[in-house]
Amino acid sequence: MSNRFKPKYNIKKGDKVVVIAGDDKDLKKPRTVLQVIIDKGRVVVEGVNIVSKHTKPSATNTKGGIVKVEAPIHISNVQLWDAKAGGPARIKRSRDNGKLVRISKKSGEAIK
């Protein structure tokens, strides 16, 4: 994807999100975003989409073997967690003293 038309997402690294679609769907369990891959529109979420990765022995990992790691899922399959409302919520962006603030549409609270 070109830098000229880079998409803007409401989800950032460290946010609490819920998975709203897929095998790991759970609307009551908030999880942490570990990484946002903007180019591909994907996020890596803690404990979601666990895959087995076969690794060769290396200097850092002398044994090698099969390692369980989180694989990225599409950003449309997660929704921000609203702590006050206690569930997933859509958000709107607004400016507050020149700074962009994400506000939950459910509770009206700013998301940190």
Side-chain angles (χ1 to χ4, degrees):
M1 194 168 288
S2 68
N3 283 342
R4 185 172 174 201
F5 300 109
K6 196 154 117 181
K8 292 187 169 90
Y9 296 118
N10 296 323
I11 296 171
K12 299 177 184 175
K13 180 180 174 181
D15 281 345
K16 293 284 185 193
V17 296
V18 288
V19 180
I20 60 171
D23 293 340
D24 297 303
K25 176 181 176 178
D26 191 359
L27 298 175
K28 299 292 179 199
K29 186 176 181 186
R31 301 168 188 257
T32 309
V33 174
L34 302 175
Q35 181 184 6
V36 179
I37 306 165
I38 295 170
D39 301 341
K40 295 183 179 176
R42 295 182 162 269
V43 288
V44 178
V45 183
E46 184 180 32
V48 174
N49 199 18
I50 303 286
V51 295
S52 299
K53 185 177 180 183
H54 297 260
T55 57
K56 281 186 168 181
S58 64
T60 55
N61 184 12
T62 55
K63 264 203 153 162
I66 301 170
V67 182
K68 302 269 188 189
V69 292
E70 288 106 352
I73 59 172
H74 200 268
I75 202 160
S76 66
N77 293 338
V78 297
Q79 200 169 11
L80 276 168
W81 175 259
D82 187 2
K84 187 175 181 187
R90 291 174 304 177
I91 69 157
K92 63 181 177 182
R93 292 189 241 180
S94 65
R95 295 228 175 252
D96 185 33
N97 297 330
K99 193 156 184 142
L100 202 65
V101 182
R102 299 176 297 168
I103 299 171
S104 168
K105 287 189 175 182
K106 211 175 232 186
S107 65
E109 291 290 311
I111 295 176
K112 280 122 188 128

